[in-house]
Amino acid sequence: MEQQQSLWEFIVQQRGKLLDQTIAHIGLTFISLFIAVLIGLPLGIFIARRKKAAAIVLNIAGILQTIPSIALLGFMIPLLGIGPLPAITALFLYALLPIIRNTYTGINEVDATVLEAASAMGFSKWQILTKVELPLAFPVILAGIRTATVINVGVATLAAYIAAGGLGEFIFGGISLNNTNMILAGAIPAALLAMLFDFLLSRVQKINLKKIRVAVVLMPFIILLLSSFYVIPSFEKNKLLAGFTPEFMGRQDGYLGLKSVYKLNIRNVVISDAVMYKAAYEKKLDIISGYSTDGRLRAFDLVILNDDKKIFPPYYAAPLIRNDVLQKYPEIENVLNLLSGKINDSIMTELNYEVDYLRRSPEAVAKDFLIKNNLYRQPRNGNKGTIHLGSKIFGEQYILINMYSMLIKGYTDLNVDTKTGLGGTKICFDAMTNNQIDMYPEYTGTGLLAILNASSATLNQLKQNEDSVYNYVADQFKKKYNLVWLKPIGFNNAYALMMRRQQSNELNVHSISELTDYINQSQN
Amino acid sequence: MIDAKNISKKFKQQTAVDAISFSVNEGENFVLLGTSGCGKTTTLKMLNRLIEPTDGEIFINQKNIRNENAETLRRSIGYALQNTGLFPHYTVAENIAVVPKLFKWSKEKIRARVEELMIKLHLSKEYYDTYPNELSGGQQQRVGLARALAADAGILLMDEPFGALDPITRTRVRNDFKNLEEFKKKTIVLVTHDVQEAFELADRICLMDKGKIVQTGKPTELLFKPANDFVKTFFDEQRLQLEYKSVTIKMLWQFLNDNGNIESSATEIAADRNVWQALECFSLNETDALIAHKNGITKKISYASLMNAFNQYKKAN
């Protein structure tokens, strides 16, 4: 009951947004459907006349249908960028096959004697098409439109990935934030829409023969009307446009904080992390919410705007190690602290760039870095004991764990066993407390929010200050879990707003406050 | 009225119709008869350009139909099909009104015409707004006939119009059709493989085989003066019945004796009735003699004299 009630509360609280998303969703579905009918219907009629063309057209449409929807959206981005155009194009391509195929089938299935009679009565070809073939094929064509509609309602949720709006914003935001209510607030209306349209179209399909002609006339108007629900987000040239991940949109240390603390009111779209950086590079977006050490910053020449009012909690990385291991092999502390102060944000970004973007192995990148900083030493015999290292499942952690492994082997007589690719924070942390691993690199913000679940009172008290957060986390971990935070490495992999370097210089915007000022000025 | 000159139709390798010529007079009922695949339906469809001849010319009222707009031509020719070809999404009334509507008749005129035809074809008024699939096969065929007649075209083409019906319904619909004034008035070209039907409806029969015309003539000519063995054997199976049906009392008149001395019961019969009907009269009414009139002369006919006259007629022909 509790769960249902809170879902209901969420829906009531977000009803404005939910309504907007639902309407945008309906609009997206029907604009693409309308275009698909506009093109699919004549194409279906054409191939019903030319049997040779039929195989080719149906095969092409069939192949389009088999492309996974995420991949199709991915193809669209280099061609059409982000926003409604690629989303509608992708949806249109999905809707095409059922409409072409059913038009073709429907017209082919019209009784030959009826056609002969129509011809013998003196109907012209156009009259045969409009008065006999299309009305008689109508139920089959409508079944195609029905299939296409249901497909489109489903696929349209993915439009949120490329800043085209719709119910996907809640669904993907909810997945990122692990907020079930948010997922359901997007998923349930999407499912209801699919069922509603399916039901309504099934009613039209069973329509009395007599009313077919009325239905044939009305259908385009209804589709057009529903299409008009979608107000295409205006991409005005002179104004800045921000793209935020669904997760960022819903977080206090994200867009909500930008609004309340900075009073930042920027036009924004929701977009997937996977395409966001590229979209900024291609000037489809101006401001994005990224991670401060992401290699793509370097790849696409983006700069981070200074968080001068400190709304993003610090996520400083530091080795987290079991206290009993530290007692047993005290020499390890100094070794692990060797990296401290050696890697700042831009160095980490550079290293990530080499691994994530240039596809170099984390091991080679780690070794090069150590050699360059005169930290590398040949491994010793490693017969004293074994340290078990763990890492989460992304590039940055792989690099760090390789460095630690080389350092331990080079500076001590300990051997190293690495367990890389542990799914997430929870898995790494549980592995520590169950003595399966001895150490892994963790981030202070994660420790604070994900493991300690700090209250908002605590958060206010810490004021997002990097030192106070580190001290609080180190203190609490020692007390609660007997785990020790060693010295921070020096970089902060936190949320950040970023923009193209060139634009940042042109507009003279280097911090979020300056961004707010710039937007407020340009609006006046 | 209809003049087909040397028309041929080739489908890829196959010759469906091979340089045939025939003409149909105004008001005549012309039946194209033959087994399936003999080219009779192809021939019929060339008359309203549903199929274009590969060779040859067709003239309707002295006009070469090739030079006419196909749609205009078809609207001026009634057409009835074996499987009716009714529009399933049109009501009975709308189906009948198809061609008048193409001619842009006024609503009142169309309605009046539809109602008139429904009465003539014994279609109950309640079917006016029903759809074809709610009707029986016989009723559908009647609607198909009404549609073919609706615009009162001078020519009616019929492609096995009763072929899909069961024998009893077929006879009933055919008889009702035969009794229409339109049947008598119009030039009709009818395709059938049913010999009985051909004899019943035809003024002239055109017997076709393998894309060629074997013989064209009145039913009695085909029976009694067959052009070759094919014609002869074609009717063998039903010869006796056909002969009885194609010969009328009128035709036998000169060979009939007046058995005026018969005292017992006698039944009146019209002189244009055929021998088959006369025989039915004998058996149904259990009568000994029939009374017929021609040109003011009355003859009383016994069973024996009827059969005798029939045999003499056959010898004479």
Side-chain angles (χ1 to χ4, degrees):
Chain A
M1 278 317 286
E2 173 96 27
Q3 179 74 16
Q4 276 176 359
Q5 204 180 9
S6 59
L7 170 62
W8 181 244
E9 279 166 7
F10 181 87
I11 289 172
V12 171
Q13 186 199 340
Q14 300 280 342
R15 62 183 181 278
K17 216 170 168 188
L18 182 63
L19 188 68
D20 287 349
Q21 290 186 7
T22 308
I23 287 175
H25 203 91
I26 295 172
L28 266 179
T29 304
F30 281 91
I31 288 178
S32 46
L33 188 71
F34 182 70
I35 302 170
V37 173
L38 221 55
I39 292 176
L41 196 66
L43 205 56
I45 294 168
F46 174 77
I47 61 171
R49 306 261 184 274
R50 309 259 162 112
K51 297 285 150 67
K52 277 181 192 161
I56 302 168
V57 170
L58 288 175
N59 275 330
I60 293 174
I63 289 167
L64 285 174
Q65 197 76 19
T66 62
I67 301 175
S69 31
I70 284 274
L72 189 61
L73 287 173
F75 285 139
M76 289 294 148
I77 292 161
L79 297 174
L80 301 169
I82 57 160
L85 186 63
I88 290 171
T89 310
L91 288 174
F92 151 74
L93 290 175
Y94 276 112
L96 209 48
L97 176 70
I99 294 174
I100 297 178
R101 190 182 47 205
N102 282 41
T103 305
Y104 171 76
T105 313
I107 287 184
N108 272 339
E109 278 176 1
V110 174
D111 188 350
T113 43
V114 172
L115 292 178
E116 187 192 309
S119 184
M121 294 305 126
F123 276 28
S124 67
K125 277 185 181 158
W126 177 250
Q127 285 169 326
I128 291 177
L129 177 68
T130 55
K131 294 190 174 193
V132 182
E133 287 179 305
L134 286 181
L136 290 179
F138 182 73
V140 183
I141 296 174
L142 197 72
I145 294 178
R146 190 175 153 196
T147 311
T149 308
V150 176
I151 291 175
N152 269 10
V153 171
V155 179
T157 53
L158 297 176
Y161 266 135
I162 52 171
L167 288 164
E169 290 186 10
F170 270 159
I171 296 176
F172 295 115
I175 291 171
S176 304
L177 295 169
N178 197 17
N179 181 338
T180 314
N181 286 333
M182 194 186 249
I183 299 175
L184 291 177
I188 292 174
L192 288 178
L193 279 184
M195 288 194 287
L196 176 72
F197 290 129
D198 191 50
F199 172 74
L200 290 179
L201 287 167
S202 77
R203 303 296 303 181
V204 182
Q205 213 176 336
K206 289 193 193 106
I207 210 166
N208 185 314
L209 284 163
K210 194 176 274 181
K211 290 173 194 148
I212 274 185
R213 275 166 281 177
V214 182
V216 168
V217 175
L218 276 182
M219 279 293 284
F221 291 105
I222 294 170
I223 294 179
L224 208 56
L225 179 76
L226 291 170
S227 302
S228 67
F229 281 12
Y230 189 68
V231 183
I232 290 178
S234 53
F235 284 81
E236 293 161 71
K237 283 277 178 278
N238 299 327
K239 289 192 179 169
L240 296 180
L241 178 67
F244 297 141
T245 59
E247 180 183 7
F248 188 82
M249 288 299 287
R251 287 178 75 132
Q252 189 56 44
D253 57 329
Y255 184 58
L256 301 177
L258 286 177
K259 279 202 291 194
S260 61
V261 178
Y262 284 98
K263 311 290 177 214
L264 179 68
N265 207 351
I266 188 167
R267 289 184 316 120
N268 63 75
V269 292
V270 176
I271 188 165
S272 150
D273 165 72
V275 299
M276 184 171 66
Y277 296 89
K278 188 137 191 260
Y281 172 70
E282 287 169 344
K283 302 189 180 175
K284 300 286 192 306
L285 296 171
D286 302 299
I287 311 286
I288 58 169
S289 62
Y291 294 98
S292 51
T293 58
D294 195 296
R296 286 171 294 190
L297 244 85
R298 160 79 169 59
F300 296 122
D301 200 22
L302 305 174
V303 290
I304 292 171
L305 297 183
N306 183 21
D307 175 22
D308 50 333
K309 289 185 183 165
K310 302 285 176 207
I311 62 159
F312 302 131
Y315 280 72
Y316 280 89
L320 181 62
I321 186 163
R322 277 170 38 213
N323 198 21
D324 53 324
V325 176
L326 205 55
Q327 302 297 329
K328 195 171 168 191
Y329 307 115
E331 68 270 31
I332 204 170
E333 180 168 357
N334 286 332
V335 176
L336 292 178
N337 280 340
L338 280 171
L339 284 183
S340 174
K342 293 286 189 305
I343 306 177
N344 62 19
D345 289 5
S346 60
I347 294 172
M348 195 64 237
T349 305
E350 177 73 33
L351 298 174
N352 281 335
Y353 167 73
E354 290 189 35
V355 171
D356 292 337
Y357 214 77
L358 303 181
R359 301 279 158 225
R360 294 189 61 202
S361 82
E363 196 182 349
V365 172
K367 193 170 175 182
D368 284 355
F369 175 83
L370 292 182
I371 291 169
K372 217 168 111 188
N373 288 276
N374 293 320
L375 289 170
Y376 185 77
R377 283 188 196 170
Q378 285 299 323
R380 295 201 225 160
N381 52 14
N383 53 10
K384 193 177 170 190
T386 301
I387 299 288
H388 302 277
L389 303 185
S391 89
K392 298 186 195 177
I393 190 163
F394 53 90
E396 183 169 293
Q397 291 254 325
Y398 291 154
I399 299 171
L400 292 175
I401 216 68
N402 272 294
M403 288 183 188
Y404 285 128
S405 170
M406 288 170 199
L407 290 174
I408 293 169
K409 283 179 189 166
Y411 287 81
T412 70
D413 291 325
L414 293 165
N415 196 10
V416 174
D417 165 51
T418 53
K419 289 197 168 79
T420 54
L422 300 176
T425 304
K426 178 111 177 74
I427 295 172
C428 281
F429 183 74
D430 288 350
M432 287 277 275
T433 51
N434 290 319
N435 298 345
Q436 287 166 320
I437 58 172
D438 303 321
M439 172 260 164
Y440 76 95
E442 187 52 285
Y443 304 87
T444 51
T446 313
L448 182 69
L449 297 168
I451 299 172
L452 293 173
N453 290 318
S455 65
S456 53
T458 316
L459 293 179
N460 284 337
Q461 195 194 331
L462 297 174
K463 291 194 168 64
Q464 318 288 38
N465 178 285
E466 56 184 88
D467 294 329
S468 56
V469 170
Y470 176 82
N471 291 333
Y472 177 80
V473 169
D475 186 46
Q476 292 290 317
F477 268 63
K478 187 78 180 289
K479 274 192 213 154
K480 283 191 180 168
Y481 311 115
N482 202 24
L483 298 176
V484 179
W485 285 78
L486 298 180
K487 280 190 193 168
I489 301 166
F491 69 88
N492 179 14
N493 185 3
Y495 268 135
L497 286 195
M498 42 192 82
M499 64 196 295
R500 288 183 300 282
R501 184 182 303 279
Q502 194 193 355
Q503 192 179 37
S504 161
N505 291 333
E506 277 170 13
L507 304 180
N508 200 23
V509 167
H510 303 287
S511 69
I512 302 176
S513 293
E514 284 171 12
L515 176 67
T516 313
D517 290 344
Y518 173 80
I519 289 169
N520 290 340
Q521 275 166 20
S522 62
Q523 272 167 355
N524 293 331
Chain B
M1 168 110 218
I2 300 175
D3 255 312
K5 293 185 176 165
N6 269 320
I7 53 171
S8 297
K9 180 68 197 179
K10 293 192 177 79
F11 295 107
K12 289 178 185 165
Q13 303 297 322
Q14 209 181 348
T15 304
V17 175
D18 192 1
I20 64 169
S21 301
F22 60 91
S23 54
V24 184
N25 302 320
E26 180 140 13
E28 190 178 25
N29 296 334
F30 188 80
V31 172
L32 294 165
L33 177 65
T35 49
S36 358
C38 72
K40 55 191 192 300
T41 298
T42 309
T43 306
L44 183 83
K45 287 181 182 174
M46 285 194 282
L47 297 181
N48 65 354
R49 293 184 58 187
L50 283 179
I51 295 176
E52 298 284 356
T54 319
D55 260 313
E57 312 283 345
I58 297 167
F59 296 87
I60 293 180
N61 296 331
Q62 284 83 49
K63 277 191 264 177
N64 189 335
I65 62 168
R66 186 170 296 183
N67 302 330
E68 284 186 63
N69 175 286
E71 283 135 32
T72 320
L73 173 77
R74 289 175 195 148
R75 285 173 204 179
S76 66
I77 298 175
Y79 191 75
L81 306 77
Q82 175 172 12
N83 291 311
T84 75
L86 293 177
F87 299 157
H89 57 309
Y90 278 32
T91 62
V92 166
E94 286 167 335
N95 263 294
I96 297 174
V98 161
V99 186
K101 230 173 173 180
L102 288 175
F103 279 123
K104 300 200 165 64
W105 289 13
S106 73
K107 267 192 182 161
E108 299 74 38
K109 193 178 170 192
I110 291 177
R111 192 176 175 91
R113 178 64 179 160
V114 169
E115 282 173 356
E116 181 193 350
L117 281 165
M118 286 181 71
I119 293 166
K120 276 187 178 174
L121 284 153
H122 308 290
L123 283 162
S124 158
K125 233 182 183 172
E126 66 196 82
Y127 297 138
Y128 195 88
D129 282 324
T130 53
Y131 286 88
N133 61 7
E134 298 165 54
L135 302 180
S136 70
Q139 287 163 332
Q140 288 183 19
Q141 203 52 262
R142 287 168 197 268
V143 177
L145 290 173
R147 181 175 67 175
L149 296 170
D152 206 12
I155 300 174
L156 187 56
L157 306 181
M158 308 178 85
D159 183 9
E160 307 241 14
F162 313 109
L165 304 175
D166 64 84
I168 293 167
T169 314
R170 188 190 311 166
T171 313
R172 211 173 281 156
V173 177
R174 195 160 65 201
N175 282 336
D176 288 342
F177 176 65
K178 247 172 79 177
N179 292 328
L180 289 177
E181 52 176 318
E182 276 86 354
F183 173 74
K184 285 149 196 161
K185 230 167 53 186
K186 286 186 191 305
T187 308
I188 296 172
V189 180
L190 183 141
V191 161
T192 185
H193 63 268
D194 181 336
V195 177
Q196 296 278 356
E197 185 167 289
F199 274 74
E200 200 173 308
L201 299 176
D203 290 324
R204 277 195 301 149
I205 292 174
C206 172
L207 182 62
M208 292 183 69
D209 183 45
K210 292 173 190 154
K212 292 202 180 265
I213 294 175
V214 188
Q215 187 175 2
T216 306
K218 290 178 183 167
T220 45
E221 288 175 351
L222 268 71
L223 275 181
F224 301 121
K225 291 172 186 167
N228 55 26
D229 280 354
F230 176 82
V231 183
K232 210 174 183 177
T233 48
F234 193 83
F235 302 113
D236 266 355
E237 224 168 284
Q238 313 170 61
R239 174 165 291 278
L240 189 62
Q241 195 187 7
L242 292 174
E243 286 178 356
Y244 285 156
K245 279 188 171 175
S246 56
V247 176
T248 59
I249 293 174
K250 228 189 254 175
M251 291 156 85
L252 295 178
W253 198 255
Q254 53 171 312
F255 306 109
L256 283 169
N257 296 325
D258 183 15
N259 305 99
N261 51 348
I262 297 174
E263 302 257 320
S264 51
S265 62
T267 309
E268 291 270 338
I269 190 167
D272 59 355
R273 291 299 159 105
N274 58 41
V275 176
W276 180 265
Q277 286 162 325
L279 292 174
E280 276 180 337
C281 235
F282 277 115
S283 75
L284 287 177
N285 300 333
E286 292 179 5
T287 186
D288 294 324
L290 301 171
I291 295 168
H293 312 276
K294 193 196 170 195
N295 301 334
I297 301 168
T298 302
K299 284 187 178 174
K300 210 169 182 185
I301 309 156
S302 68
Y303 180 83
S305 74
L306 181 70
M307 293 323 290
N308 190 31
F310 179 73
N311 287 333
Q312 283 182 350
Y313 175 87
K314 264 179 76 173
K315 269 177 214 157
N317 277 283

